[in-house]
Amino acid sequence: MKKIEHIGIAVVNLKDASIIYEKLFGAPAYKEEEVLSEGVKTAFFRNGPNKIELLEATNLESPIAKFIAKKGEGIHHIAFEVEDILFEISRLKKEGFVILNELPKKGADNKLVSFLHPKETNGVLIELCQEIPQATLINNLEKDSNNE
Ligand code: ZN
């Protein structure tokens, strides 16, 4: 794994939270994006080399809605950038981690993402993310996940 790519924070209201984080960093979000498959709206902030992702649920089935119902607002996940997500998934599986989605899905910010179950990582949800290499790969992945 290369480095922490971003830290995800679950919020009740993205607009209200964005105002707070804009004040904190002295700069507005550089990207806002809805991820329909995950039921989330996101806003990304940059601070030096680091990124913060705010996430608001767009429906009650969203993992963010469930997280907030259980734990309230707060740090939701830590995302690590990886060179080759499929390689890392099989490596971590062999190490005994539980991968929530072995088929990486298209996440926010032009990334392929997979999550590790927090049970094996001391209560922290870990996201693996890889910059999307090419459009064709994504088309194939989406076709695959539609067939499930
Ligand atoms: Zn994330």
Side-chain angles (χ1 to χ4, degrees):
M1 299 210 262
K2 286 159 77 176
K3 59 165 188 167
I4 291 179
E5 213 286 330
H6 63 269
I7 294 172
I9 299 175
V11 303
V12 170
N13 184 298
L14 192 66
K15 266 202 184 109
D16 292 348
S18 290
I19 292 168
I20 293 167
Y21 281 80
E22 182 171 340
K23 280 185 207 160
L24 181 67
F25 297 129
Y30 68 90
K31 187 180 226 179
E32 286 183 16
E33 191 179 347
E34 184 163 355
V35 184
L36 286 174
S37 58
E38 291 292 292
V40 294
K41 278 193 298 189
T42 66
F44 283 86
F45 291 81
R46 235 188 269 280
N47 179 242
N50 302 312
K51 294 182 198 168
I52 297 291
E53 174 187 29
L54 303 182
L55 305 109
E56 177 195 323
T58 54
N59 64 61
L60 290 173
E61 294 309 301
S62 163
I64 295 300
K66 290 176 184 162
F67 178 88
I68 287 179
K70 227 166 119 183
K71 298 188 173 175
E73 291 185 299
I75 293 182
H76 175 258
H77 63 270
I78 299 180
F80 292 90
E81 186 180 345
V82 299
E83 192 80 52
D84 180 341
I85 196 164
L86 294 173
F87 171 81
E88 288 294 344
I89 287 168
S90 80
R91 182 181 74 83
L92 293 168
K93 230 177 112 178
K94 276 183 217 139
E95 295 285 1
F97 293 95
V98 174
I99 317 293
L100 292 174
N101 59 305
E102 289 186 32
L103 182 70
K105 36 189 186 180
K106 192 171 182 284
D109 205 23
N110 197 41
K111 300 277 195 299
L112 287 176
V113 300
S114 280
F115 290 91
L116 306 190
H117 198 292
K119 224 166 64 180
E120 279 76 27
T121 46
N122 305 76
V124 178
L125 178 64
I126 304 281
E127 173 184 330
L128 307 175
C129 63
Q130 179 191 332
E131 195 83 22
I132 288 172
Q134 50 184 335
T136 49
L137 176 60
I138 295 316
N139 290 335
N140 291 338
L141 286 171
E142 275 169 2
K143 261 184 241 150
D144 288 348
S145 51
N146 288 340
N147 289 340
E148 277 177 358

